């Protein structure tokens, strides 16, 4: 038996321009070479902020236009860069992501609590797979997209190392597969979170809006 979880309006993350469409934003839309290389964190944060703005009245000021025209999304990404700002090693911790997105929200007059689940490099210090799955389930059930930091892709070839993506759905299969639907580079596809969790050498983490958002 399969069990499915998803944000309620995934179509709100479709970007359009001149008859073209993309699933989510693409960091390559940044204009600067460094931004294109390191911009996965602010790109993911921009998608989360826009979705919350379009689905929560209290979060509307995060992105007042609610537009998913490509030019407007790029403007949001550029603004987010000033808060979720990659350093020499990018946005390589959940703490940096949370700190930046919280500051962005505060500047818009929004108190945005965020939950973190770190998955450290040291395996003995990691949460269990069940704890990770529970984090994903509870977030998606609450109509909250999840930001996923992957520092090493393990055996999941579809993922890039040292990279942020946004999770919009989860399919739990009888064989133990935890199939996450992610948006990355303007595309939507599915990857096995359990396989990643079992094989990643460097770990990463998850970030989602807190309770009450």
């Amino acid at each position: 038996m399969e069990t499915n979880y998803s944000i309620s309006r995934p179509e709100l993350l479709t970007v359009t321009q001149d008859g073209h469409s993309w699933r989510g934003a693409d960091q390559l839309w940044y204009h600067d070479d460094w931004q294109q290389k390191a911009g996965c964190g602010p790109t993911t944060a921009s998608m989360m902020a826009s979705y919350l703005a379009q689905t929560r009245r209290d979060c509307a000021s995060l992105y007042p236009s609610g537009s998913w025209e490509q030019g407007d999304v790029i403007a949001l990404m550029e603004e987010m860069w000033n808060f979720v700002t990659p350093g020499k090693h990018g946005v390589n911790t959940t703490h940096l992501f949370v700190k930046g997105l919280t500051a962005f929200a505060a500047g818009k007059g929004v108190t945005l609590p965020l939950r973190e689940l770190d998955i450290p490099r040291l395996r003995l210090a990691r949460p269990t797979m069940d704890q990770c799955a529970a984090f994903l389930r509870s977030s998606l059930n609450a109509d909250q997209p999840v930001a996923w930091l992957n520092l090493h892709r393990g055996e999941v070839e579809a993922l890039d190392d040292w990279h942020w993506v946004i999770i919009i759905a989860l399919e739990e299969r009888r064989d133990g597969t935890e199939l996450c639907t992610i948006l990355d580079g303007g595309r939507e596809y599915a990857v096995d979170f359990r396989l990643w969790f079992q094989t990643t050498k460097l770990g990463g983490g998850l970030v989602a809006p807190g309770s009450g958002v």
Side-chain angles (χ1 to χ4, degrees):
M1 181 178 178
E2 299 174 356
T3 308
N4 296 287
Y5 308 87
S6 175
I7 58 174
S8 65
R9 300 192 64 191
E11 73 278 3
L12 293 179
L13 296 177
T14 297
V15 185
T16 60
Q17 190 76 35
D18 299 328
H20 299 284
S21 64
W22 300 265
R23 289 295 288 133
D26 187 344
Q27 71 192 73
L28 294 180
W29 295 345
Y30 280 114
H31 302 297
D32 180 81
D33 288 345
W34 170 242
Q35 289 179 307
Q36 291 177 6
K37 181 178 180 179
C40 57
T43 299
T44 299
S46 296
M47 286 189 285
M48 181 175 286
S50 177
Y51 187 79
L52 294 175
Q54 294 179 86
T55 57
R56 271 80 167 171
R57 183 175 300 176
D58 292 346
C59 294
S61 63
L62 294 178
Y63 187 44
S65 74
S67 167
W68 272 89
E69 286 290 313
Q70 186 188 40
D72 295 325
V73 173
I74 291 172
L76 174 62
M77 290 164 56
E78 292 284 0
E79 185 179 6
M80 187 66 73
W81 178 276
N82 297 319
F83 296 89
V84 183
T85 308
K88 182 172 66 173
H89 300 293
V91 182
N92 63 333
T93 67
T94 57
H95 172 72
L96 289 173
F97 185 96
V98 167
K99 181 180 178 181
L101 183 51
T102 301
F104 170 84
K108 303 289 187 179
V110 175
T111 299
L112 182 61
L114 295 167
R115 299 185 296 138
E116 305 170 56
L117 184 65
D118 283 318
I119 302 170
R121 177 174 186 167
L122 182 63
R123 292 184 180 276
L124 291 176
R126 291 181 185 178
T128 66
M129 181 60 223
D130 286 345
Q131 288 173 313
C132 294
F135 187 100
L136 293 170
R137 285 188 219 107
S138 63
S139 300
L140 295 169
N141 266 341
D143 196 21
Q144 298 165 343
V146 180
W148 176 11
L149 171 62
N150 156 49
L151 295 175
H152 177 262
R153 68 185 182 186
E155 295 180 8
V156 182
E157 295 183 359
L159 288 174
D160 291 331
D161 293 331
W162 218 264
H163 196 51
W164 284 93
V165 299
I166 196 159
I167 299 172
I168 62 169
L170 171 68
E171 179 184 313
E172 296 187 317
R173 296 180 173 177
R174 182 179 297 177
D175 63 3
T177 300
E178 300 279 346
L179 201 63
C180 287
T181 301
I182 66 172
L183 303 182
D184 182 32
R187 298 182 300 123
E188 175 179 320
Y189 55 98
V191 296
D192 185 355
F193 187 93
R194 183 182 294 275
L195 177 61
W196 173 83
F197 181 83
Q198 293 172 339
T199 59
T200 180
K201 295 179 180 178
L202 300 179
L206 302 170
V207 176
S211 59
V213 177

